Amino acid sequence: MKVLIGGGAGYIGSTIASACADAGITPLILDNLVTGRREFAAGREFYEGDIADGQLVDRVFKEHPDIDAVIHCAALIVVPDSVADPVGYYRANVAKSLEFVAHLLRNRCERLMFSSSAAIYGAGADLTVDENSPIDPQSPYARTKAVCEAMFGDIAAAQPIRVLSLRYFNPIGADPRMRTGLQLPKPTHALGKMMQAQEEGIPFEVTGTDYPTRDGSGIRDYIHVWDLATAHVAALGRFDALLASADAYTAINLGTGQGTTVRELLEAFNDVASVPIKARDTGRRPGDVAGAYTRIDRATKLLDWHPQYGIPESIRHSLQWAAVRDELLSGWDARS
Ligand SMILES: NC(=O)c1ccc[n+]([C@@H]2O[C@H](COP(=O)([O-])OP(=O)(O)OC[C@H]3O[C@@H](n4cnc5c(N)ncnc54)[C@H](O)[C@@H]3O)[C@@H](O)[C@H]2O)c1
């Protein structure tokens, strides 16, 4: 089997590429390196360029007429940037996705997987969501994902392509074999902030302690990026069974089914880390939400997939990756 991964030189796409390769599936990478890393495409067939570049996509399919499926991870993903530059975000995530799918149709690609996000869900009363929960994205970034899902649904209903949207919860960790991980030196999620606090010897700030969760801090469904990647491999194997011609579009949540609060993550971090960190309670940040975790039934049933890694391994792999990242990303500009 052969798959084309748009955005395959990014954090998640490169991990999917490794999981595919380990499973005997050949990954081809298409990435314009706007945030991705050339190092993450090393050893793979790599097409450097834009998903919206029709000539390039035509060339990929001409050189590989045996592509079985396309995984579309290419996007801009920074929520505050999307608030500041909605035009840029809708262009990058929606307009280019539309161009991409048109190029795929022209090349008779029949199977597409789309990297969607749990951020498309509105806040639920009990902090859990499933695929039928109301869609109510809270940022321009999240809305680009919801718009793409609707667009792909309409296209799949009318054209000979079937689309599976995978709605990721909160990926953390790195490839357990340390081939790839988060390219950013200062990730903005809670685990990234904990790692930064450890490195700089400063307290970690628990931002928001009055959420309706068991300890008042925000809750997330942290999924190890390798588990996320193996879910794509499982979905590739079951794609045709999942998406029979009558049902050309569907969505599946990818999380662990376990909610972890910020305080619980901190406790787990201090259990794993060589140097424990202290914490300080502060108020909510603008735009922050209590969070949510998924009911996992649909993914386990349809994909026959279960996450293998828990929070401690995810933290351990993130710390291991942070220790080797600068060496592996040789051209990295430490100021960014
Ligand atoms: N990281 C998360 O927390 C998270 C959560 C939910 C969903 N997602 C989705 O998963 C996907 C991958 O995210 P990531 O965390 O790996 O981000 P990333 O920035 O590491 O990866 C995105 C990749 O896409 C490439 N890219 C962007 N626009 C492109 C274009 N027009 N043409 C070709 N390549 C392009 C970038 O260079 C990069 O390699 C995204 O679609 C994102 O919305 C991510």
Side-chain angles (χ1 to χ4, degrees):
M1 195 187 253
K2 193 179 271 186
V3 292
L4 173 65
I5 307 179
Y11 170 51
I12 297 171
S14 63
T15 318
I16 296 171
S18 294
C20 284
D22 290 1
I25 299 167
T26 304
L28 310 172
I29 310 299
L30 169 61
D31 200 299
N32 65 2
L33 300 182
V34 63
T35 55
R37 297 291 309 194
R38 189 179 300 281
E39 294 91 331
F40 288 174
R44 317 234 180 272
E45 192 151 349
F46 176 37
Y47 292 87
E48 183 176 345
D50 203 292
I51 55 165
D53 179 345
Q55 283 183 356
L56 179 60
V57 175
D58 289 349
R59 179 157 77 82
V60 176
F61 277 86
K62 191 156 182 266
E63 290 174 5
H64 297 277
D66 52 345
I67 291 172
D68 296 288
V70 171
I71 301 176
H72 173 18
C73 307
L76 301 181
I77 69 160
V78 182
V79 171
D81 290 357
S82 76
V83 175
D85 180 20
V87 172
Y89 264 68
Y90 279 99
R91 184 179 290 134
N93 291 0
V94 176
K96 289 191 178 191
S97 290
L98 180 61
E99 291 304 314
F100 190 35
V101 76
H103 304 326
L104 298 182
L105 284 166
R106 186 173 62 250
N107 284 286
R108 297 193 171 80
C109 164
E110 294 176 353
R111 299 180 189 91
L112 176 64
M113 276 188 220
F114 173 59
S115 298
S116 188
S117 170
I120 66 172
Y121 291 118
D126 73 347
L127 302 175
T128 68
V129 292
D130 67 18
E131 290 80 355
N132 296 318
S133 296
I135 304 296
D136 186 15
Q138 299 294 313
S139 69
Y141 161 73
R143 266 186 289 280
T144 67
K145 292 284 157 183
V147 171
C148 279
E149 281 209 23
M151 185 171 88
F152 290 141
D154 287 341
I155 292 168
Q159 302 287 330
I161 191 165
R162 288 162 293 157
V163 185
L164 172 62
S165 286
L166 296 171
R167 296 173 181 162
Y168 308 161
F169 278 68
N170 302 92
I172 55 173
D175 172 16
R177 290 174 56 191
M178 296 297 131
R179 288 166 287 192
T180 58
L182 206 53
Q183 62 274 48
L184 298 172
K186 291 186 179 163
T188 54
H189 54 45
L191 176 58
K193 294 278 185 199
M194 287 174 201
M195 290 163 60
Q196 195 181 337
Q198 187 194 45
E199 205 177 303
E200 297 175 7
I202 55 172
F204 167 76
E205 293 189 342
V206 181
T207 49
T209 54
D210 58 349
Y211 289 115
T213 60
R214 47 188 171 258
D215 60 20
S217 64
I219 197 161
R220 300 286 184 272
D221 188 337
Y222 295 104
I223 177 162
H224 195 294
V225 69
W226 186 256
D227 283 326
L228 205 60
T230 60
H232 290 73
V233 174
L236 283 170
R238 292 174 161 242
F239 195 97
D240 290 346
L242 263 172
L243 289 141
S245 54
D247 192 9
Y249 178 85
T250 198
I252 299 178
N253 287 351
L254 293 182
T256 61
Q258 302 282 327
T260 304
T261 67
V262 173
R263 290 197 199 287
E264 289 164 351
L265 188 70
L266 180 67
E267 202 181 318
F269 183 86
N270 280 338
D271 282 347
V272 169
S274 50
V275 184
I277 53 170
K278 294 199 167 41
R280 188 165 74 83
D281 290 355
T282 64
R284 297 182 183 193
R285 294 172 307 184
D288 270 358
V289 290
Y293 54 102
T294 183
R295 292 189 284 274
I296 200 178
D297 318 35
R298 192 167 157 80
T300 51
K301 183 168 154 238
L302 295 183
L303 303 179
D304 191 22
W305 160 89
H306 299 271
Q308 299 297 313
Y309 290 107
I311 295 282
E313 292 101 328
S314 302
I315 294 172
R316 201 169 290 122
H317 288 151
S318 292
L319 288 167
Q320 281 172 5
W321 169 256
V324 298
R325 184 193 54 231
D326 288 354
E327 196 185 324
L328 293 178
L329 302 184
S330 46
W332 185 253
D333 180 353
R335 287 164 305 170
S336 15

